[in-house]
Amino acid sequence: MRAVVQRVDGARVVVDGETVGEIVGEGLCVLVGVTHDDTAAKAAQLARKLWSVRILDGEKSCSDAGAPLLVVSQFTLYGDARKGRRPTWQAAAPGPVAEPLVDEVVAQLRALGAEVATGRFGAQMKVSLTNDGPFTVLLEV
C-alpha cells in the first residue's frame, strides 16, 4: 500500500456537486493506493502509521491532537509513466481488490479512535484542500 499524506488546514471531496467527505481545521488528507499483493494486515499497518505519524504542528500526531483524516482512494499512485507518453496502471489493484482494503484502512483508523471522512470509491471526485506548510510525505507499507 502506498499513501500520499498531506498536512492540511481543511479538506473536502465533492462528487457530482455534493460534498461527500470533509474535515475542518488541522488534519491529514490521505490518498491511498493499493497494489495486487496488499492485505488487510498491511491496511492495519498503514492505519496505525497514519494515526501515529508526527507531522502535525508541534510534531504531534493525529492521535496526540485528536485531528481528523480525510481518506481518498487513489489508484493512480501505482501508475507508471517511465516509458512512452501514457501511464500504465498494471501495478494498481482492480476495484474488487482495492475497495475493501481502502475500507479496511478507514475501519482500522476508526477503531483506533480517529475521526475519518472519506471520498467515494470509483467516483469522479474533486478533492480540495489547504496544504499546511506545505507538508507532504509518501508512506509505503
Side-chain angles (χ1 to χ4, degrees):
M1 295 191 103
R2 186 175 285 171
V4 172
V5 183
Q6 298 177 79
R7 182 175 69 194
V8 299
D9 182 18
R12 71 183 184 138
V13 178
V14 174
V15 176
D16 294 329
E18 172 194 357
T19 298
V20 297
E22 181 173 23
I23 61 172
V24 177
E26 180 181 49
L28 298 179
C29 180
V30 183
L31 307 177
V32 176
V34 178
T35 193
H36 300 281
D37 63 351
D38 286 334
T39 63
K42 285 187 178 184
Q45 182 182 4
L46 179 60
R48 287 190 302 274
K49 185 72 167 182
L50 292 169
W51 187 230
S52 63
V53 67
R54 297 182 166 280
I55 60 174
L56 296 179
D57 192 40
E59 294 187 10
K60 292 183 179 174
S61 66
C62 285
S63 65
D64 295 331
L69 300 94
L70 174 64
V71 175
V72 180
S73 63
Q74 187 71 46
F75 79 93
T76 62
L77 293 182
Y78 279 101
D80 184 353
R82 290 178 290 182
K83 294 183 182 178
R85 297 180 299 157
R86 292 188 186 123
T88 64
W89 314 111
Q90 295 172 344
V97 173
E99 185 174 11
L101 290 174
V102 173
D103 289 346
E104 184 65 16
V105 171
V106 172
Q108 291 290 328
L109 280 165
R110 288 179 176 151
L112 291 167
E115 175 190 335
V116 184
T118 65
R120 186 174 294 154
F121 192 91
Q124 179 65 38
M125 296 178 273
K126 306 269 189 229
V127 180
S128 60
L129 57 95
T130 301
N131 193 319
D132 183 14
F135 197 108
T136 303
V137 296
L138 177 65
L139 299 178
E140 292 197 64
V141 295

